[in-house]
Amino acid sequence: DVELLYNRVDPFYRAQIVYGFAFLLCLLAMIGEGTFLRRAAVAGVALALLPHTVGIVWRMMIMGRPPMTNLYATFIFVAWICVVLGLAVEAVQRKGLGTFLAGAGGLVLLMISNRFETQGDTLGVVVAVLDSNFWLSTHVVTITMGYAGCLAAGLAGHVYLLQALGRPPGHASLEATGRAVYGLLAFGLILSFLGTMLGGVWADQSWGRFWGWDPKENGALLIVLWCSLLFHARVSRLIGPIGMAAGSVLGVIVVLMAWIGINLLGVGLHSYGFTSGLARGLAISIAVEVLFVAITVPLARRRFPTLAQPTLQR
């Protein structure tokens, strides 16, 4: 009865609709820079977060499991984390950026989750390799929070590169977006590292080895290495604000490959998330991200050369 009611209510579809309206309010607020519109957008995202949260808890009650049990569930949970991170950024900065990140992240990821929802029962029996509530609530939750942090940083990187096309160095909104990119990427790095280490402990208990160079393990390691590379390049003054933003955008590709691309290989001990028909969408997403960076970075460097200088980093 609880599951039937869950299917009738369809909380994630309702959340998706409200996220859509909130996202439109975010765009209007960013164009008009009005306080009323910004507050309305925040209220809209918070309202959408309610059925989103209820849906996740509802699934946990039905299955008796932590929130991540299959690839579909990871999308709705990562979307939830992105929204929470966006609202946290908005609570600190109060410039509309966090609301935009929350609205866009929640809307896009829930829309993508619809792709998996049409393939069958999303409340199916957990595969044997994931049959551990303890590790589902520690390793899997932690690593997916790392995904969310890196994706949110990448989305903020998109905003920074677009702002850099028209706003000079030192502009308040540009500086705020740069700080958001840095903070979100740091969050993603920390959680990805912890999740990868917890995964190694789980692998040692389940398979008798901490690390086996499995494709999924390599994907998680790539996220940690990519984020670490960006922070080391920033500290050593090899890249400036534009480089950090561009690296965060390209980091979205790394996350997508580790999150979805590895599953498409259908090999390794972590191939339980294999889903057909995603290769084309993944390839298009990668091409779009590369094209975006290839266009915006040279234009921003040409318009405001000082933005590319590492000396602007603080």
Side-chain angles (χ1 to χ4, degrees):
D1 292 339
V2 176
E3 184 176 350
L4 289 174
L5 181 60
Y6 165 83
N7 289 326
R8 284 199 298 267
V9 173
D10 201 355
F12 300 117
Y13 177 71
R14 298 175 185 272
Q16 183 177 320
I17 293 176
V18 183
Y19 279 133
F21 284 111
F23 179 67
L24 292 176
L25 288 174
C26 292
L27 294 178
L28 293 175
M30 294 178 72
I31 295 174
E33 298 185 356
T35 304
F36 173 77
L37 286 174
R38 183 176 62 81
R39 292 178 177 175
V42 174
V45 170
L47 182 63
L49 187 62
L50 179 59
H52 195 165
T53 305
V54 170
I56 292 176
V57 175
W58 209 336
R59 287 177 58 88
M60 293 171 62
M61 292 173 58
I62 293 172
M63 300 192 68
R65 298 280 188 177
M68 269 78 62
T69 54
N70 50 41
L71 201 55
Y72 166 79
T74 63
F75 272 93
I76 60 177
F77 184 75
V78 169
W80 189 86
I81 295 296
C82 284
V83 173
V84 173
L85 289 175
L87 291 177
V89 171
E90 184 62 26
V92 173
Q93 296 188 351
R94 300 183 183 277
K95 292 184 178 296
L97 172 65
T99 312
F100 175 82
L101 299 178
L107 176 63
V108 171
L109 290 171
L110 285 185
M111 289 177 64
I112 296 175
S113 72
N114 295 337
R115 166 70 175 77
F116 300 93
E117 193 174 18
T118 59
Q119 293 188 347
D121 185 12
T122 64
L123 294 167
V125 178
V126 177
V127 295
V129 73
L130 292 177
D131 194 12
S132 170
N133 276 5
F134 174 77
W135 290 111
L136 279 175
S137 58
T138 52
H139 160 63
V140 181
V141 168
T142 305
I143 199 73
T144 48
M145 289 176 68
Y147 291 166
C150 294
L151 290 176
L155 185 55
H158 283 81
V159 176
Y160 185 94
L161 292 178
L162 291 175
Q163 288 178 333
L165 296 177
R167 296 178 179 175
H171 193 281
S173 61
L174 197 62
E175 293 288 313
T177 305
R179 289 192 296 270
V181 171
Y182 181 86
L184 291 170
L185 195 64
F187 176 88
L189 171 59
I190 293 170
L191 272 296
S192 295
F193 175 77
L194 291 177
T196 303
M197 294 300 102
L198 289 171
V201 176
W202 187 9
D204 182 59
Q205 292 187 2
S206 299
W207 301 323
R209 90 293 188 276
F210 180 85
W211 193 266
W213 299 106
D214 184 87
K216 196 71 173 181
E217 297 169 347
N218 295 339
L221 178 62
L222 282 176
I223 296 176
V224 175
L225 292 177
W226 181 259
C227 294
S228 301
L229 176 66
L230 292 178
F231 281 110
H232 279 286
R234 179 185 184 274
V235 172
S236 59
R237 298 182 179 275
L238 295 176
I239 60 174
I242 288 182
M244 196 71 176
S248 298
V249 173
L250 295 178
V252 173
I253 297 177
V254 180
V255 173
L256 290 178
M257 290 302 299
W259 185 10
I260 304 173
I262 296 300
N263 292 331
L264 295 176
L265 297 176
V267 296
L269 296 172
H270 292 83
S271 61
Y272 49 82
F274 179 76
T275 304
S276 61
L278 284 179
R280 179 181 298 179
L282 183 62
I284 293 174
S285 300
I286 293 174
V288 168
E289 297 291 23
V290 172
L291 186 62
F292 178 84
V293 172
I295 292 175
T296 56
V297 170
L299 290 176
R301 289 170 62 94
R302 188 179 301 116
R303 184 171 177 81
F304 300 109
T306 54
L307 279 176
Q309 297 177 2
T311 53
L312 287 179
Q313 292 285 3
R314 290 195 292 270

